[in-house]
Amino acid sequence: MSLATLLYKRFTQTLNDIGENEDGIDKFSRGYESFGIHRCADGGLYCKEWAPGAEGVFLTGDFNDWNPFSYPYKKLDYGKWELYIPPNQNKSLVPHGSKLKVVIRSKSGEILYRISPWAKYVAREGDNVNYDWIHWDPEHPYKLKHSRPKKPRGVRIYESHVGISSHEGKIASYKHFTCNVLPRIKDLGYNCIQMMAVMEHAYYASFGYQITSFFAASSRYGTPEELKELVDTAHSMGITVLLDVVHSHASKNSEDGLNMFDGTDSCYFHSGPRGNHDLWDSRLFAYSSWEVLRFLLSNIRWWLEEYGFDGFRFDGITSMLYHHHGMGHGFSGDYHEYFGLQVDEDALTYLMLANHLVHTLYPDSITIAEDVSGMPALCCPISQGGCGFDYRLAMAIPDKWIQLLKEFKDEDWNMGNIVHTLTNRRYLEKCIAYAESHDQALVGDKTLAFWLMDAEMYTNMSVLTPFTPVIDRGIQLHKMIRLITHALGGEGYLNFMGNEFGHPEWLDFPRKGNNESYHYARRQFHLTDDDLLRYKFLNNFDRDMNKLEERFGWLSAPQAYVSEKHEDNKVITFERADLLFIFNFHPSKSYTDYRVGTKSPGKYPFCCQFKIVLDSDAAEYGGHQRLDHSTDFFSEAFEHNERPHSLLVYIPSRVALILQNVDLPN
């Protein structure tokens, strides 16, 4: 029996079990409606927790002067506990904004103060080390007003982090992002936002990847209602909003996290060494556990229903897919690396269930897999034994660009190797291409702009000074790298905030090593608004590149036909979406009357007329305007009608061109 068949059998069996025992996945995934704390119609409170290792469970907080034992839960079957608190004069005894704790009496008799795993709002006050659980039940909650956008035909993702979205050295807010960053994203032509670090994480410098409260939107940026307004405003602009969801592991925090919730090292996680990720210093979920499945699937649904998110990027799933978690293992692409006892079938089954739930609830939702291993069938339909993701990240592409910039002179770049990296994907497996993401922006690495221009970004970006060779090279290659990645690398495109204009600083969150400084935990968008700085050129190019894709739709077109990858000339040409893309990566050679093949329709002796629709060398993009845009190019057919046309083009050095056949319908 193949792994795909086995996985599909496990998926259907688990789905059937959920149907028999929980009245279906629809009810099963609504755990947040009963677990945690809920106001009843009569003003009372219903409380429910899963703590199989506990001897006793209690609720305490401001409402009872922190008496730890005055409100005991009643023990139910399967490790569940419940409590009903009657109203006080038809009002809830626990008002909105009051602090709470779950008190656990462990089997050893230890008394533990915990935050409910289902807490909807937690916050850190003053100099407190730990987060407090705050009962969130506002009198007038925000109501989503705008409908969800339809799934984009070609997804252009702006990877975003609310906290660093201001140029000031502080944590920015949901409100700031809504008012100041969303309009920029819309103007740049991105139709999708991927929001990082929204699920609550006690350690800011973890970049949101050490989750402590899975149902709580991070309070460091504002309130849950302000996040809802952000998502709703994005929807009003026609922008799809994805959440960076972390179900691959959880923070080791116990005081304000899931770890040791019931006094045992298991509960939501595997016990013993299997429950620890040694590199990440975090806990690993027990995906075979019934209540863990309820918790994670309900978490998926919570973000869709409560906040209106349109899908998810699933972080770090390589760790989920294999028992070895990808540690100490390379992946060559040989299929024996993906099928065998090293595969965690429980985790794969969970991912299939998650994708099934998302796409059943909202068919236009988008799910993206972050997997470095290249696991086959992640993006195949579940009915075919796949995991059901819409896209996977093309993670080899940014590594290739960094390798070229670090290890090779420009004249030694291998055109065939670049094309191979950009096109090396399985048939019908949709990929999100990106030249760089947040990974390259972090301290210890460099963005493309920094690899290209380094310290000169601080001194030579003024338009009042002549181009230096370093800045000239950097600006031209920055545009070319992004365009060829956008057009050739996948069926979607991603950019990390600020990188579109070559943000001049790395990203470093406040920590002991930098004296808790926020200086590098920011994005200086104002640099693009300064007409005296060259950052505006890169910003303009990124905007026009995205808007051209919106017009012609190359991301949703079939994979490109590459007609030339010339090693000596450093020229790459290809066609996609009835556009002709020409790249000359040579650092010094320009070519007059360079013959470029095209398969555009036409019969001998008739010719086709082409015009330039994007020229990276244009003045508005910081180029040298070496081409006359008023002059069109005319192809000539070979004598045999069946053979493709060709045209003669002047191609300056370090330039990218997009040509349109004006004889074809636009």
Side-chain angles (χ1 to χ4, degrees):
M1 184 182 295
S2 70
L3 181 62
T5 304
L6 176 64
L7 286 172
Y8 185 69
K9 185 176 181 181
R10 285 174 60 100
F11 162 76
T12 53
Q13 183 61 57
T14 306
L15 201 59
N16 290 337
D17 290 344
I18 291 172
E20 292 175 8
N21 296 287
E22 301 282 351
D23 294 330
I25 195 170
D26 180 71
K27 182 179 178 182
F28 188 61
S29 61
R30 295 178 183 269
Y32 52 82
E33 293 181 352
S34 58
F35 285 85
I37 306 291
H38 299 277
R39 176 162 45 90
C40 302
D42 63 359
L45 281 182
Y46 179 75
C47 315
K48 189 176 182 181
E49 299 294 343
W50 178 60
E55 282 294 314
V57 179
F58 310 85
L59 187 69
T60 188
D62 293 335
F63 75 100
N64 70 344
D65 294 326
W66 294 96
N67 183 325
F69 307 119
S70 61
Y71 284 90
Y73 284 64
K74 175 186 175 183
K75 189 173 185 178
L76 306 174
D77 293 335
Y78 307 112
K80 297 171 188 173
W81 302 76
E82 71 174 2
L83 166 67
Y84 174 72
I85 302 176
N88 181 15
Q89 296 180 349
N90 295 324
K91 291 185 178 181
S92 171
L93 202 63
V94 181
H96 167 68
S98 59
K99 295 179 183 178
L100 295 167
K101 287 279 188 177
V102 174
V103 180
I104 302 289
R105 180 188 287 129
S106 71
K107 288 189 179 343
S108 64
E110 188 178 3
I111 302 301
L112 307 169
Y113 287 80
R114 296 288 189 253
I115 291 176
S116 170
W118 304 82
K120 297 176 176 64
Y121 187 67
V122 297
R124 178 188 285 156
E125 294 189 350
D127 296 328
N128 291 352
V129 174
N130 295 323
Y131 275 69
D132 293 313
W133 173 21
I134 298 175
H135 182 51
W136 193 259
D137 187 19
E139 185 178 354
H140 302 291
Y142 185 91
K143 299 294 184 183
L144 299 174
K145 305 178 184 69
H146 302 282
S147 59
R148 300 168 184 266
K150 292 187 179 297
K151 182 186 290 187
R153 62 172 184 168
V155 62
R156 302 181 298 275
I157 302 172
Y158 199 78
E159 190 180 30
S160 304
H161 187 292
V162 170
I164 66 170
S165 62
S166 168
H167 70 274
E168 300 179 71
K170 65 177 185 180
I171 297 176
S173 67
Y174 295 124
K175 282 280 191 183
H176 171 85
F177 192 95
T178 301
C179 297
N180 297 284
V181 183
L182 281 180
R184 288 185 180 272
I185 295 171
K186 177 67 175 177
D187 178 67
L188 282 168
Y190 290 93
N191 56 16
C192 183
I193 304 170
Q194 177 186 302
M195 297 198 66
M196 310 172 63
V198 168
M199 301 167 73
E200 190 60 271
H201 48 292
Y203 185 42
Y204 189 42
S206 74
F207 221 146
Y209 293 123
Q210 293 274 347
I211 306 300
T212 45
S213 290
F214 283 75
F215 286 83
S218 183
S219 60
R220 55 172 54 88
Y221 318 128
T223 69
E225 312 315 306
E226 289 166 344
L227 174 58
K228 293 174 190 176
E229 182 184 25
L230 188 161
V231 175
D232 202 27
T233 304
H235 286 170
S236 74
M237 298 177 173
I239 297 174
T240 297
V241 188
L242 307 182
L243 177 70
D244 208 347
V245 70
V246 186
H247 282 180
S248 50
H249 65 128
S251 168
K252 268 191 174 179
N253 288 20
S254 55
E255 295 289 331
D256 52 9
L258 283 183
N259 191 26
M260 304 288 290
F261 173 69
D262 64 354
T264 71
D265 76 334
S266 53
C267 197
Y268 287 93
F269 309 105
H270 293 292
S271 62
R274 189 182 176 190
N276 295 303
H277 196 295
D278 295 334
L279 285 182
W280 294 345
D281 193 31
S282 56
R283 299 303 313 274
L284 299 172
F285 287 105
Y287 300 105
S288 60
S289 166
W290 193 258
E291 292 303 324
V292 171
L293 282 180
R294 186 198 307 276
F295 179 79
L296 294 177
L297 290 172
S298 296
N299 190 235
I300 289 290
R301 185 164 191 165
W302 168 256
W303 293 106
L304 290 172
E305 302 278 22
E306 184 71 11
Y307 289 93
F309 281 96
D310 304 298
F312 304 94
R313 168 197 179 267
F314 282 75
D315 176 72
I317 69 165
T318 304
S319 174
M320 300 172 66
L321 297 175
Y322 310 98
H323 293 297
H324 55 64
H325 309 300
M327 294 186 291
H329 287 259
F331 294 92
S332 66
D334 193 299
Y335 274 49
H336 80 275
E337 297 166 345
Y338 307 115
F339 304 112
L341 296 177
Q342 72 271 29
V343 175
D344 190 331
E345 295 171 3
D346 295 327
L348 272 169
T349 302
Y350 162 67
L351 290 173
M352 294 170 76
L353 288 167
N355 275 298
H356 170 76
L357 176 67
V358 170
H359 292 111
T360 299
L361 290 172
Y362 298 101
D364 276 349
S365 292
I366 296 171
T367 58
I368 301 171
E370 190 215 22
D371 167 43
V372 73
S373 75
M375 166 70 83
L378 280 182
C379 297
C380 283
I382 292 172
S383 60
Q384 297 178 8
C387 270
F389 285 99
D390 294 293
Y391 299 90
R392 68 185 310 148
L393 291 177
M395 302 185 72
I397 294 175
D399 293 341
K400 174 55 61 179
W401 292 123
I402 296 299
Q403 179 195 38
L404 288 172
L405 293 173
K406 283 177 65 175
E407 300 176 12
F408 295 90
K409 297 178 181 178
D410 294 1
E411 55 267 29
D412 294 331
W413 286 16
N414 186 298
M415 300 295 103
N417 189 248
I418 291 172
V419 170
H420 172 74
T421 303
L422 290 169
T423 58
N424 184 26
R425 53 191 184 274
R426 298 182 185 96
Y427 180 62
L428 296 183
E429 186 175 62
K430 294 193 289 186
C431 291
I432 303 292
Y434 58 107
E436 53 186 338
S437 68
H438 68 272
D439 290 325
Q440 289 72 41
L442 286 169
V443 65
D445 205 339
K446 288 183 179 181
T447 63
L448 289 179
F450 247 114
W451 280 113
L452 288 163
M453 295 177 279
D454 212 9
E456 286 201 27
M457 295 184 73
Y458 294 107
T459 57
N460 296 320
M461 288 296 278
S462 170
V463 297
L464 301 179
T465 61
F467 267 125
T468 65
V470 169
I471 295 298
D472 189 15
R473 169 183 178 265
I475 286 180
Q476 310 319 322
L477 285 179
H478 192 273
K479 294 177 291 187
M480 295 179 69
I481 288 170
R482 301 176 90 76
L483 178 58
I484 197 170
T485 301
H486 202 309
L488 192 58
E491 289 67 41
Y493 178 75
L494 178 143
N495 165 68
F496 177 65
M497 62 189 310
N499 286 355
E500 69 275 5
F501 65 86
H503 195 278
E505 290 176 347
W506 56 90
L507 185 58
D508 191 12
F509 287 90
R511 53 188 174 83
K512 288 183 179 179
N514 63 11
N515 296 318
E516 304 295 336
S517 172
Y518 286 86
H519 180 73
Y520 295 108
R522 59 181 183 148
R523 297 280 94 177
Q524 300 185 64
F525 290 111
H526 64 285
L527 296 176
T528 66
D529 301 327
D530 191 334
D531 280 339
L532 297 180
L533 295 177
R534 293 188 168 109
Y535 297 104
K536 66 179 181 181
F537 298 137
L538 299 178
N539 195 75
N540 292 344
F541 183 80
D542 197 75
R543 179 195 63 223
D544 290 353
M545 174 178 68
N546 282 324
K547 293 191 173 180
L548 201 63
E549 195 287 323
E550 176 68 25
R551 178 180 164 193
F552 290 101
W554 60 69
L555 290 172
S556 57
Q559 193 162 328
Y561 173 76
V562 181
S563 57
E564 181 170 356
K565 39 192 175 180
H566 200 294
E567 298 301 338
D568 292 332
N569 294 342
K570 302 303 175 192
V571 171
I572 296 172
T573 66
F574 59 88
E575 290 175 277
R576 193 176 187 187
D578 292 325
L579 295 173
L580 176 59
F581 295 81
I582 304 172
F583 293 83
N584 179 8
F585 282 97
H586 202 286
S588 58
K589 287 186 179 179
S590 299
Y591 304 103
T592 303
D593 290 340
Y594 195 94
R595 187 174 294 278
V596 176
T598 172
K599 60 178 181 179
S600 292
K603 291 187 176 181
Y604 181 83
F606 301 106
C607 62
C608 296
Q609 183 180 3
F610 287 79
K611 69 174 182 179
I612 298 172
V613 291
L614 188 68
D615 173 11
S616 68
D617 195 44
E620 61 264 35
Y621 308 138
H624 303 286
Q625 198 71 58
R626 288 169 287 180
L627 278 163
D628 181 1
H629 290 192
S630 65
T631 302
D632 290 344
F633 301 96
F634 293 88
S635 67
E636 55 182 9
F638 292 108
E639 293 186 6
H640 301 288
N641 294 350
E642 296 79 12
R643 299 189 64 184
H645 287 53
S646 68
L647 63 157
L648 301 177
V649 185
Y650 169 53
I651 314 175
S653 60
R654 285 200 185 119
V655 76
L657 302 172
I658 303 180
L659 274 59
Q660 178 198 7
N661 182 347
V662 298
D663 295 329
L664 293 177
N666 186 355

